[in-house]
Amino acid sequence: MIFVNDTHNPALKSFVDSANSGSTDFPIQNLPFAVFRRAGSKEDFRCGVAIGDQVLDLTALGKMHLLSGDAAQAVQTCSDSSLNRLMSLGAPAWSALRASLSRLLSIDSPHEGVLRGCLVPQADVEYDLPARIGDYTDFYASVHHATNVGKLFRPDQPLLPNYKWVPIGYHGRSSSIGVAGQSLKRPVGQVCGAGQTVPVTQASRRLDFELEMGLFIGSSNALGTSVSVDQAFDNIFGMCLLNDWSARDIQGWEYQPLGPFLSKNFGTTISPWVVTSEALAPFRAPFVRDAADPQPLPYLTSDRNSQRGSVNIALELSLETQAMRDAGVAPQVLCNGNFKDAAYWTPQQLVAHHTVNGCNLQSGDLLGTGTLSGPTPDSLGSLLEMTEGGKKSIAMSNGQMRTFLEDGDAIVIRAFCQSDSAVRIGFGECRGTILPATT
Amino acid sequence: MIFVNDTHNPALKSFVDSANSGSTDFPIQNLPFAVFRRAGSKEDFRCGVAIGDQVLDLTALGKMHLLSGDAAQAVQTCSDSSLNRLMSLGAPAWSALRASLSRLLSIDSPHEGVLRGCLVPQADVEYDLPARIGDYTDFYASVHHATNVGKLFRPDQPLLPNYKWVPIGYHGRSSSIGVAGQSLKRPVGQVCGAGQTVPVTQASRRLDFELEMGLFIGSSNALGTSVSVDQAFDNIFGMCLLNDWSARDIQGWEYQPLGPFLSKNFGTTISPWVVTSEALAPFRAPFVRDAADPQPLPYLTSDRNSQRGSVNIALELSLETQAMRDAGVAPQVLCNGNFKDAAYWTPQQLVAHHTVNGCNLQSGDLLGTGTLSGPTPDSLGSLLEMTEGGKKSIAMSNGQMRTFLEDGDAIVIRAFCQSDSAVRIGFGECRGTILPATT
């Protein structure tokens, strides 16, 4: 069950000072999970929770036997090298662990001394993927993105007739999902120029990013069963940031009739930190469907989803070129958007749709939202859209120009939730850097 | 390295009598792998090899310490509940184990007595999936299938311009792959009738099968590296039978622009037995490209692939209705084809294409070939093709008619390899049965 409870109390402070600054992504009201170890060590990866600029080592915490009941059971799963087992325990266990962590990390904690011994500075750690991702599905949930991309290919019919009925999605590649901080080689593949009939094999010249969020499945459903929209609120463990790198020239040649393949599966980057559904509860927002648009079919509808189905998450994407890094200037912000303005479907509708046919989702499975482009020119989630298919270049404030990504370019995605009645929480950073192709 | 060696000697006989009959799928020249346990038991699943009508329990064999060197190391991985670790050892280890098993199971075996203690009748076992399948990719490798399906949607341009250049593929769902013998519920989903603009949610009325084969990846490649066509001969562990169940009405409404999704991911059935690449070596066949067709791009070409890239595998698909089962009559054969006549690309080309962009394939990953329709009316691999999109019904010899599958229908796929100079080997059976939808 997801609700606004004591753990969201804006008055709550932590004994970890850095968690109490207004600028941190990780106040005590957040408590996101990651898999980490000390950088450069041979330690086993294990689960941790962010608090200010520290990681609380949950393996170390588990050994203290400070927790009881569901929380004690939950923390024992956190010595695993992935969050899968914690995810499989279900919402009551996640909630119990969160409540315990909130009390233990509070400024009134009776265990501050021993807890301090379980903290590791985030500056000193490296991350692994938060989960073993069995299956990765990518959706197409922004109607603005679908319209913008559709215009490039079908000016007279940008949106296909199914778009406003079907939460369009397709299966992606699990094996090539990496954690933020990674560097990725520019892919090589078949491309066929406009007006050409014979393709060539070359490094992609139209390399792009896609600003997305990821949903981690917590509770699984068995093959042959479906998950209702209301049940889906409880089945989603949390959300992360996701960059769906895309080679537009490879995509354009390969994608008919079965969809994108090599243009996407060379790499997908996600943030290390998973912000739990419970931490997002205070930022829930109504799911609004324009009167002119069809109402969703019954299996995609519920009162709770209409009232609280969306989430108010501010999104920001920046480009850092090699020249910016060399000159020590800040990355150039290319996009400022918001999940609730971009997504035509809620997270729960994506899960309900995915399972309406009996497809089994498993703990640790990842669902990408698709590119979260908003309705305004400053909230577009891909270079394809910003450059109108590569026709226009974008000028950076340092004078550099870009149509697509160049070697050495890094993309940084950030996101945060803010409201008048709650403490701001953030998602950390999802950074990936492009390396030259192997030739 | 894959070669024709002593293990293929047609004169070789086993002390297991049933392996020496001309009709068995599993003579001593085959030795396919599966994961099994005694049916209805609580035993751990473990790896076994088929010999005649028996399974050789490789965990039991490993405890005998009869093997040495690479074969001894290989057999120790076979007490796992999946073949992944054996697959990861690479072709020399697979070959060493095969050579040892061939000697141990031969009619001249010095260890017949103890080996007999490691045999379990196939009639008494149940199977699990042969591997933990990290990622599942489905290709579209039959030009006849692509043409037949294309004709239904684009009579003036059945084949898209990329088809003869790109081995078209897309990512499928790993979690819903099941092993032969399974029953699957008819899926529910959005469908939109011809001429309609508002979809409805209902059980699929156009449920179909697709006759395919699967390739199991043995040796992995790291992210950012590619596998050449020649290397791919060694990276493929073996092949199995695969039924890609497909709901045509759901597919028709959902698949634009990102490809099939819920129309496929409710279930895929594979055979328990994986026939190794080395067992298939005597049945290799030339890869032939019509002079009128473009030659493959360099990364899809090698001399070895041209000379021995394809495989001569006879394919058979049958339908068994509930009425046939009740009357005890044989299933109705719907399709007789051959892999080499159907596939426009070889297994090695599928692997080389999949990795040309640096995508990492992992041990245990599964690649489906796509529907293996041949050039003749009796070798079509789906009802969609046999019925020309549901326009014609098919008459069974018991008087029943079918356009698409009905509840209770079972589909049985079989395949075997045969040549003048080698002993016939088979793939066993891939059977799946359709249950009514949940309403």
Side-chain angles (χ1 to χ4, degrees):
Chain A
M1 206 146 57
I2 288 153
F3 50 89
V4 177
N5 60 27
D6 284 351
T7 66
H8 303 105
N9 184 348
L12 213 58
K13 301 284 179 195
S14 172
F15 67 78
V16 179
D17 283 343
S18 58
N20 304 324
S21 97
S23 63
T24 184
D25 276 356
F26 307 125
I28 195 169
Q29 290 80 4
N30 194 347
L31 303 177
F33 289 83
V35 168
F36 80 103
R37 68 177 175 191
R38 282 182 175 78
S41 75
K42 304 277 190 192
E43 294 175 352
D44 290 334
F45 279 101
R46 55 200 184 270
C47 305
V49 156
I51 181 76
D53 60 7
Q54 304 289 309
V55 183
L56 178 66
D57 181 339
L58 294 175
T59 300
L61 176 65
K63 290 177 180 160
M64 306 285 173
H65 299 290
L66 299 175
L67 309 185
S68 59
D70 281 355
Q73 184 197 0
V75 83
Q76 293 308 325
T77 67
C78 293
S79 50
D80 291 1
S81 62
S82 77
L83 289 163
N84 292 66
R85 203 148 56 100
L86 176 64
M87 289 168 164
S88 73
L89 292 181
W94 313 331
S95 192
L97 179 58
R98 174 182 169 83
S100 295
L101 293 174
S102 178
R103 283 190 296 272
L104 287 170
L105 289 167
S106 78
I107 203 159
D108 305 319
S109 176
H111 300 291
E112 177 181 335
V114 289
L115 267 287
R116 283 200 182 274
C118 303
L119 296 175
V120 185
Q122 285 165 28
D124 296 346
V125 309
E126 61 189 7
Y127 299 101
D128 200 353
L129 288 174
R132 279 176 286 98
I133 300 165
D135 279 290
Y136 162 49
T137 301
D138 202 16
F139 282 92
Y140 199 51
S142 161
V143 68
H144 310 294
H145 173 68
T147 305
N148 295 337
V149 172
K151 269 182 194 157
L152 297 173
F153 296 102
R154 298 173 303 274
D156 50 332
Q157 191 197 30
L159 268 193
L160 293 166
N162 58 6
Y163 187 86
K164 293 190 170 178
W165 296 98
V166 181
I168 298 288
Y170 69 109
H171 292 294
R173 181 89 196 167
S174 296
S175 69
S176 56
I177 299 174
V179 74
Q182 74 172 158
S183 297
L184 279 154
K185 283 187 197 168
R186 178 182 297 273
V188 168
Q190 283 193 37
V191 303
C192 192
Q196 303 292 306
T197 56
V198 175
V200 295
T201 311
Q202 65 185 29
S204 173
R205 295 175 185 175
R206 290 164 67 91
L207 187 57
D208 201 354
F209 54 79
E210 292 193 342
L211 164 56
E212 303 197 14
M213 297 200 70
L215 313 173
F216 272 105
I217 297 300
S219 303
S220 59
N221 65 293
L223 187 66
T225 66
S226 57
V227 177
S228 70
V229 170
D230 274 357
Q231 182 61 42
F233 278 89
D234 282 356
N235 282 27
I236 298 170
F237 177 79
M239 295 179 75
C240 67
L241 308 173
L242 188 152
N243 183 348
D244 176 25
W245 304 97
S246 300
R248 302 301 180 189
D249 39 4
I250 297 172
Q251 188 175 357
W253 174 237
E254 75 170 0
Y255 91 104
Q256 289 280 18
L258 298 181
F261 181 49
L262 299 187
S263 54
K264 303 274 197 176
N265 67 13
F266 60 93
T268 303
T269 306
I270 63 173
S271 60
W273 293 109
V274 183
V275 175
T276 63
S277 292
E278 193 172 345
L280 294 170
F283 309 99
R284 286 281 182 176
F287 163 71
V288 180
R289 186 59 89 229
D290 276 1
D293 284 346
Q295 291 303 304
L297 289 173
Y299 79 91
L300 295 171
T301 308
S302 84
D303 287 346
R304 186 175 172 199
N305 190 62
S306 299
Q307 291 154 17
R308 309 277 292 159
S310 195
V311 200
N312 181 349
I313 307 174
L315 306 166
E316 180 194 277
L317 182 141
S318 307
L319 167 65
E320 182 187 79
T321 67
Q322 184 65 53
M324 293 175 190
R325 254 193 313 280
D326 293 346
V329 302
Q332 172 95 26
V333 175
L334 297 184
C335 171
N336 268 304
N338 192 297
F339 177 84
K340 73 173 165 34
D341 302 329
Y344 193 79
W345 304 101
T346 68
Q348 302 75 238
Q349 288 172 320
L350 301 183
V351 170
H353 181 66
H354 205 321
T355 61
V356 67
N357 68 341
C359 181
N360 54 329
L361 303 187
Q362 299 184 315
S363 304
D365 283 354
L366 181 66
L367 277 54
T369 56
T371 311
L372 290 171
S373 297
T376 58
D378 64 341
S379 61
L380 302 173
S382 68
L383 286 171
L384 185 73
E385 293 164 88
M386 295 177 197
T387 65
E388 295 175 15
K391 290 197 289 287
K392 299 185 347 186
S393 288
I394 304 171
M396 310 287 131
S397 48
N398 73 347
Q400 289 185 287
M401 305 293 288
R402 284 290 183 277
T403 41
F404 289 101
L405 294 174
E406 299 191 6
D407 294 344
D409 285 356
I411 292 296
V412 182
I413 304 175
R414 294 182 158 279
F416 61 89
C417 300
Q418 194 158 279
S419 87
D420 292 340
S421 57
V423 172
R424 175 191 182 281
I425 65 172
F427 285 76
E429 181 179 289
C430 178
R431 171 186 286 261
T433 307
I434 297 301
L435 300 176
T438 305
T439 46
Chain B
M1 203 144 61
I2 289 153
F3 48 91
V4 177
N5 60 27
D6 284 353
T7 66
H8 304 104
N9 183 349
L12 212 59
K13 300 284 178 193
S14 171
F15 67 78
V16 179
D17 283 343
S18 58
N20 304 323
S21 97
S23 63
T24 182
D25 275 355
F26 307 127
I28 194 168
Q29 290 81 2
N30 193 348
L31 303 177
F33 288 84
V35 168
F36 80 102
R37 68 177 175 191
R38 282 183 177 76
S41 76
K42 302 277 190 192
E43 293 175 352
D44 291 333
F45 279 102
R46 56 201 184 270
C47 306
V49 156
I51 181 77
D53 60 7
Q54 304 290 309
V55 183
L56 177 67
D57 180 339
L58 294 176
T59 299
L61 177 64
K63 289 177 182 162
M64 306 287 173
H65 299 290
L66 299 176
L67 309 186
S68 59
D70 282 356
Q73 185 198 358
V75 83
Q76 292 308 324
T77 67
C78 293
S79 51
D80 291 0
S81 61
S82 76
L83 289 163
N84 293 66
R85 203 151 54 101
L86 176 64
M87 289 168 164
S88 73
L89 293 181
W94 313 332
S95 192
L97 179 57
R98 174 182 168 82
S100 294
L101 294 174
S102 178
R103 282 190 297 271
L104 286 170
L105 290 167
S106 77
I107 203 160
D108 305 319
S109 175
H111 301 290
E112 177 180 337
V114 289
L115 267 287
R116 283 199 182 275
C118 303
L119 296 175
V120 185
Q122 286 164 29
D124 296 346
V125 309
E126 60 189 8
Y127 299 101
D128 199 352
L129 287 173
R132 280 176 285 100
I133 299 166
D135 279 291
Y136 162 47
T137 302
D138 202 16
F139 282 91
Y140 199 51
S142 161
V143 68
H144 309 294
H145 174 68
T147 304
N148 295 337
V149 172
K151 268 182 194 158
L152 298 173
F153 296 100
R154 299 173 304 273
D156 50 333
Q157 191 198 29
L159 268 193
L160 292 166
N162 59 5
Y163 187 85
K164 293 192 171 177
W165 296 99
V166 181
I168 298 288
Y170 70 109
H171 291 294
R173 181 90 196 165
S174 295
S175 70
S176 55
I177 300 173
V179 74
Q182 73 173 158
S183 297
L184 279 154
K185 283 187 196 166
R186 177 182 299 272
V188 168
Q190 284 193 36
V191 302
C192 193
Q196 303 292 307
T197 57
V198 174
V200 296
T201 310
Q202 65 184 29
S204 173
R205 295 174 184 176
R206 290 164 67 90
L207 186 57
D208 201 354
F209 54 79
E210 292 193 341
L211 164 57
E212 303 196 13
M213 297 200 70
L215 312 174
F216 272 105
I217 298 299
S219 303
S220 60
N221 65 294
L223 187 65
T225 66
S226 58
V227 176
S228 69
V229 170
D230 274 356
Q231 183 60 42
F233 278 89
D234 283 357
N235 282 27
I236 299 170
F237 177 79
M239 296 179 74
C240 67
L241 308 174
L242 189 153
N243 184 348
D244 176 26
W245 304 96
S246 300
R248 302 300 180 189
D249 39 5
I250 297 172
Q251 188 175 356
W253 175 236
E254 76 170 359
Y255 91 106
Q256 288 282 15
L258 298 181
F261 181 49
L262 299 186
S263 53
K264 301 276 195 174
N265 67 13
F266 60 92
T268 303
T269 307
I270 63 174
S271 60
W273 294 107
V274 183
V275 175
T276 64
S277 292
E278 193 172 344
L280 295 170
F283 308 99
R284 286 281 182 175
F287 163 71
V288 180
R289 185 60 90 230
D290 275 1
D293 284 346
Q295 291 303 303
L297 289 173
Y299 79 91
L300 296 171
T301 307
S302 84
D303 287 347
R304 186 175 171 199
N305 191 62
S306 299
Q307 290 154 17
R308 310 277 293 159
S310 194
V311 200
N312 180 349
I313 306 174
L315 305 166
E316 182 194 275
L317 181 140
S318 305
L319 168 64
E320 182 188 79
T321 66
Q322 184 66 53
M324 292 174 191
R325 253 192 316 279
D326 293 345
V329 302
Q332 173 96 24
V333 176
L334 296 184
C335 171
N336 268 304
N338 193 297
F339 177 84
K340 74 172 164 37
D341 302 329
Y344 192 77
W345 304 101
T346 68
Q348 302 75 238
Q349 288 172 320
L350 301 182
V351 170
H353 181 66
H354 204 321
T355 61
V356 67
N357 69 341
C359 180
N360 53 332
L361 304 186
Q362 300 184 315
S363 304
D365 283 353
L366 181 66
L367 277 55
T369 56
T371 312
L372 290 171
S373 297
T376 58
D378 64 341
S379 61
L380 302 173
S382 67
L383 286 171
L384 186 72
E385 293 165 85
M386 295 178 197
T387 66
E388 295 174 15
K391 290 196 289 287
K392 298 183 353 184
S393 288
I394 304 171
M396 309 287 133
S397 48
N398 72 347
Q400 288 184 287
M401 305 295 287
R402 282 293 181 275
T403 43
F404 289 102
L405 294 173
E406 299 191 6
D407 294 344
D409 285 356
I411 293 296
V412 181
I413 304 176
R414 294 182 157 279
F416 61 89
C417 300
Q418 195 157 280
S419 86
D420 290 342
S421 57
V423 171
R424 175 190 183 281
I425 65 172
F427 285 76
E429 181 178 288
C430 178
R431 170 188 287 261
T433 306
I434 297 301
L435 300 175
T438 305
T439 46

